[in-house]
Amino acid sequence: PFVKVGGLADVAAALPKALRALGHNVTLVLPRFPAFEQGGLPVARRPTPLRVSLGGITYDVTLFDGRLASQVDIVLVDVPGMYDRAGVYGEGGQDYGDNGARFAALSRAAAEIARQRAATGSPFDVVHCHDWPTALVPAFMREATKETPELAATKTVLTLHNVAHQGIFAKEQLGALGLGWEHFSVEGAEFYGKINLLKLGIVTADAVTTVSPTYARELLTEEGG
């Protein structure tokens, strides 16, 4: 992997390569972390940026297209000031204070990429999300089907790698993450008075998987889940 914090990176590197070898077309969508440029990945900038709105703030999102040696396509999402940092989630043992907005922007961009593909008649079959940083994608995609009904044919899968990290934020951040108050319920993102992005992903994705049958069983126990 170009960028690695834990086991998620190993899966994100190996699974697309394996799927491509089986004949599937695979596109990876990732933040444009500095390590991609440092690692020499050649990319081409798309001339038209995405306009992503979260809580009344509009972000200009620049997309960069590349292709790995495995023939897996890659799209890097760039938002000024969000991903060009030394760490992925934080530095010096402290999380970045704007992690909610950083990964909400990534999720919104990924959903918009899927919507555009559906609108042009070449939809993705599946959008595969990993852990809390992309757990908002299924909710954003459901919202986007109002504009593009064809997107409903694209299904979402959320894989749980490590539920020790769930993306828990103060409820006051709901709007800044691009979510309406209708999501603040026991059946939605609400979690002991806060919002839990992983929980919302679990209840909105079409399917939920884990990294192994053993981990799936652990998550069904009171201690592990």
Side-chain angles (χ1 to χ4, degrees):
F2 284 87
V3 183
K4 177 171 173 166
V5 175
L8 191 161
D10 295 316
V11 175
L15 181 61
K17 184 177 179 179
L19 290 171
R20 187 69 187 91
L22 291 171
H24 299 287
N25 292 324
V26 185
T27 300
L28 269 168
V29 179
L30 294 153
R32 190 181 179 224
F33 294 123
F36 289 106
E37 191 171 352
Q38 294 164 5
L41 177 70
V43 293
R45 177 177 181 156
R46 291 191 190 181
T48 306
L50 294 179
R51 304 300 295 276
V52 169
S53 294
L54 296 170
I57 300 176
T58 300
Y59 299 95
D60 282 328
V61 180
T62 304
L63 302 180
F64 294 81
D65 293 292
R67 178 167 289 180
L68 303 177
S70 58
Q71 299 305 301
V72 170
D73 291 325
I74 190 165
V75 178
L76 300 181
V77 175
D78 189 38
V79 182
M82 279 196 172
Y83 310 123
D84 51 349
R85 306 178 185 181
V88 172
Y89 301 115
E91 297 174 52
Q94 295 292 318
D95 287 343
Y96 293 128
D98 60 347
N99 270 351
R102 294 173 72 227
F103 291 102
L106 171 67
S107 296
R108 180 74 87 181
E112 177 60 16
I113 290 167
R115 188 199 67 77
Q116 290 181 355
R117 280 285 295 260
T120 58
S122 56
F124 292 112
D125 296 315
V126 175
V127 172
H128 189 176
C129 312
H130 299 271
D131 273 353
W132 78 263
T134 50
L136 285 178
V137 174
F140 287 155
M141 284 180 58
R142 288 191 179 194
E143 184 182 308
T145 58
K146 298 171 186 175
E147 179 181 350
T148 307
E150 297 87 349
L151 182 60
T154 299
K155 301 305 178 185
T156 55
V157 178
L158 173 64
T159 292
L160 309 178
H161 296 258
N162 183 2
V163 301
H165 307 286
Q166 301 183 11
I168 298 173
F169 300 95
K171 66 181 180 181
E172 288 77 18
Q173 289 198 40
L174 202 65
L177 301 183
L179 299 171
W181 281 101
E182 67 274 11
H183 291 290
F184 191 71
S185 68
V186 174
E187 294 78 21
E190 192 276 332
F191 187 73
Y192 297 99
K194 297 184 178 182
I195 51 177
N196 184 321
L197 303 191
L198 189 65
K199 179 192 174 191
L200 184 62
I202 289 170
V203 299
T204 53
D206 292 305
V208 178
T209 67
T210 68
V211 290
S212 72
T214 302
Y215 196 43
R217 288 191 293 269
E218 284 180 13
L219 292 177
L220 295 179
T221 66
E222 189 170 344
E223 299 81 8

